[in-house]
Amino acid sequence: MSAPVALSIVFAAAAAISGANAQTSTSVAPLADQTYAYSALPYQVEPYGGERGNQVGYNKCNSTTENQESYCQTLIANGIDDFCLWSSPNSNDTIGTSEAYEVAWCAAKGHGTRIMPDGTLLGVQHITTPDYVMIVGYIDQTQVNLAADDYGGELDPHGADLMGNPMGGMVYSNQYPSGNTDNSTLTQVIEWKQFIGGNQFCLMICDPSKTSSTNVGLCNNVYDEVGITYNCPNSAQKGVYEVCDGDSMTPIGQYVSNGVTTTWTQPWSGTWTVPYTPTVPASSNCRTYASTDLYKADVTPTASGSGSAAGASATGKSGASNSSKSGSSAGASATGSSSSASHVIVSGFATVLGVAAAVAFLA
Ligand SMILES: *[C@@H]1O[C@H](CO)[C@@H](O)[C@H](O)[C@H]1NC(C)=O
Ligand SMILES: *[C@@H]1O[C@H](CO)[C@@H](O)[C@H](O)[C@H]1NC(C)=O
Ligand SMILES: *[C@@H]1O[C@H](CO)[C@@H](O)[C@H](O)[C@H]1NC(C)=O
Ligand SMILES: *[C@@H]1O[C@H](CO)[C@@H](O)[C@H](O)[C@H]1NC(C)=O
């Protein structure tokens, strides 16, 4: 097919822009170094600003900040019925544009945030593994302010200026320390990643007590271009809500070829293919639920985004100049059934290339 040729040219140009913006500033305290008990969170953990400006929202969230205009930037990941996702505060936005200023949207009340309207979550798998907890599934992303055709991107506590995406975004969970049985105790999660876009999402929180590079690596963000399939191998299904135990995934990029364990690293330029197809780790002890038993926030859905992907236009305007990582695609490579090996992974700037990328992946 001819599409990948044209796309690779566009990508080469995009990569050049991306590289030019990959600067590191040390004038701001890195977000991943900010540690606070949940109850001791300041108004903002990144109050001083950096090359991208100031933190837009706040971290001290409570009942007075719990409404659909909230700018709470403290995300809770407790369980299948009580977790939040980062998404835009502005309607019909894209992850590429909004990554710096996203806010928490939660499935349950009580965290001082916006609430996901009823019917937002269309299938969720919650997996507890020895190294991380992963909440992954299908979403009507228009309900959390994303354009219907946004292929999305990746959020994490680092970013080129180390202020995180979103800037100042903090994550807490009652799943840690592992074995915690007190649901009201929230522990800070240092390493995490979230993908959202293409009507799919994945939130992975790595066990904060495990600081080996292998464990931290499971939540790392240098494979942001290859989406959920590679970063969050899973068996989530639409319409299914389940909580499982599972094995930890193989570190991203690691695969066995001819009996030799090899590590693939995502290139930052050029056109490339991923040399392996990820395998979904074994899971067990799955318990399924009805969505109506899990999600009772009782927030009325907004009018669903009218756009279908087919009607979208690549505007050429992207949020990419704000960060080296903008617009990496969450959804484009997440078409579970396709074999990665035969595809050019159309990298970067999915807010611009999303539609073309979708075509490429279907071809
Ligand atoms: C609630 O949160 C807001 C926003 O962070 C803060 O200004 C206010 O002081 C908080 N209220 C209480 C009682 O902590
Ligand atoms: C903690 O949460 C789990 C999962 O929602 C629930 O089964 C359990 O009963 C809760 N424990 C307490 C002490 O509330
Ligand atoms: C969302 O934004 C796109 C691009 O600006 C526009 O074409 C579309 O009509 C908007 N959709 C809604 C539901 O506002
Ligand atoms: C970066 O993002 C901010 C916040 O949305 C926006 O105001 C600004 O125009 C963006 N800058 C560039 C260069 O795109």
Side-chain angles (χ1 to χ4, degrees):
M1 64 187 182
S2 59
V5 177
L7 290 171
S8 66
I9 293 167
V10 179
F11 170 58
I17 299 166
S18 175
N21 282 279
Q23 309 157 358
T24 299
S25 162
T26 52
S27 60
V28 174
L31 178 63
D33 292 349
Q34 308 284 345
T35 53
Y36 291 98
Y38 180 78
S39 59
L41 276 166
Y43 180 68
Q44 292 179 318
V45 298
E46 293 283 5
Y48 302 115
E51 60 199 56
R52 290 186 293 160
N54 291 329
Q55 179 176 353
V56 172
Y58 43 79
N59 299 103
K60 192 179 173 76
C61 309
N62 53 45
S63 57
T64 63
T65 68
E66 184 163 299
N67 54 61
Q68 296 307 83
E69 283 77 49
S70 180
Y71 272 80
C72 176
Q73 294 182 308
T74 299
L75 179 151
I76 306 297
N78 285 343
I80 191 170
D81 60 345
D82 186 11
F83 70 97
C84 319
L85 294 171
W86 300 119
S87 193
S88 180
N90 306 326
S91 65
N92 199 24
D93 209 347
T94 66
I95 294 296
T97 301
S98 65
E99 63 175 10
Y101 56 83
E102 285 166 12
V103 300
W105 288 80
C106 300
K109 292 179 175 168
H111 306 303
T113 66
R114 298 182 190 221
I115 306 297
M116 296 181 199
D118 295 339
T120 299
L121 295 166
L122 304 176
V124 182
Q125 187 177 45
H126 177 289
I127 302 230
T128 300
T129 78
D131 298 304
Y132 58 82
V133 171
M134 180 169 77
I135 306 174
V136 60
Y138 295 88
I139 187 170
D140 174 357
Q141 65 189 26
T142 64
Q143 299 301 330
V144 291
N145 279 348
L146 295 184
D149 62 328
D150 183 29
Y151 271 80
E154 191 258 4
L155 295 314
D156 62 71
H158 303 285
D161 61 6
L162 305 181
M163 285 179 71
N165 283 306
M167 295 189 294
M170 296 288 274
V171 174
Y172 291 80
S173 176
N174 68 9
Q175 302 292 291
Y176 295 117
S178 58
N180 179 35
T181 53
D182 176 1
N183 291 349
S184 64
T185 301
L186 293 172
T187 295
Q188 186 181 347
V189 174
I190 308 294
E191 294 295 340
W192 52 267
K193 65 188 181 190
Q194 181 196 301
F195 286 77
I196 185 168
N199 288 314
Q200 298 179 48
F201 71 91
C202 168
L203 175 65
M204 183 182 286
I205 56 172
C206 280
D207 185 341
S209 73
K210 296 191 171 182
T211 53
S212 73
S213 59
T214 305
N215 186 260
V216 168
L218 295 174
C219 275
N220 86 6
N221 57 11
V222 299
Y223 292 92
D224 57 327
E225 305 285 359
V226 294
I228 288 172
T229 309
Y230 285 84
N231 284 276
C232 304
N234 71 88
S235 54
Q237 300 165 63
K238 278 185 187 159
V240 176
Y241 301 82
E242 61 180 359
V243 177
C244 308
D245 298 324
D247 293 347
S248 297
M249 65 182 289
T250 302
I252 313 155
Q254 197 179 97
Y255 65 104
V256 177
S257 175
N258 296 326
V260 179
T261 299
T262 306
T263 299
W264 170 76
T265 306
Q266 175 188 298
W268 292 102
S269 63
T271 301
W272 37 271
T273 58
V274 189
Y276 74 101
T277 303
T279 48
V280 177
S283 58
S284 60
N285 191 28
C286 292
R287 291 139 280 161
T288 59
Y289 299 87
S291 67
T292 46
D293 290 338
L294 299 173
Y295 309 116
K296 297 168 178 164
D298 210 22
V299 172
T300 308
T302 57
S304 197
S306 58
S308 67
S313 58
T315 61
K317 166 185 148 301
S318 82
S321 55
N322 259 339
S323 154
S324 64
K325 289 161 39 48
S326 285
S328 59
S329 170
S333 58
T335 51
S337 61
S338 69
S339 158
S340 61
S342 62
H343 292 280
V344 173
I345 302 294
V346 179
S347 186
F349 297 11
T351 48
V352 178
L353 296 177
V355 176
V359 172
F361 275 88
L362 290 169

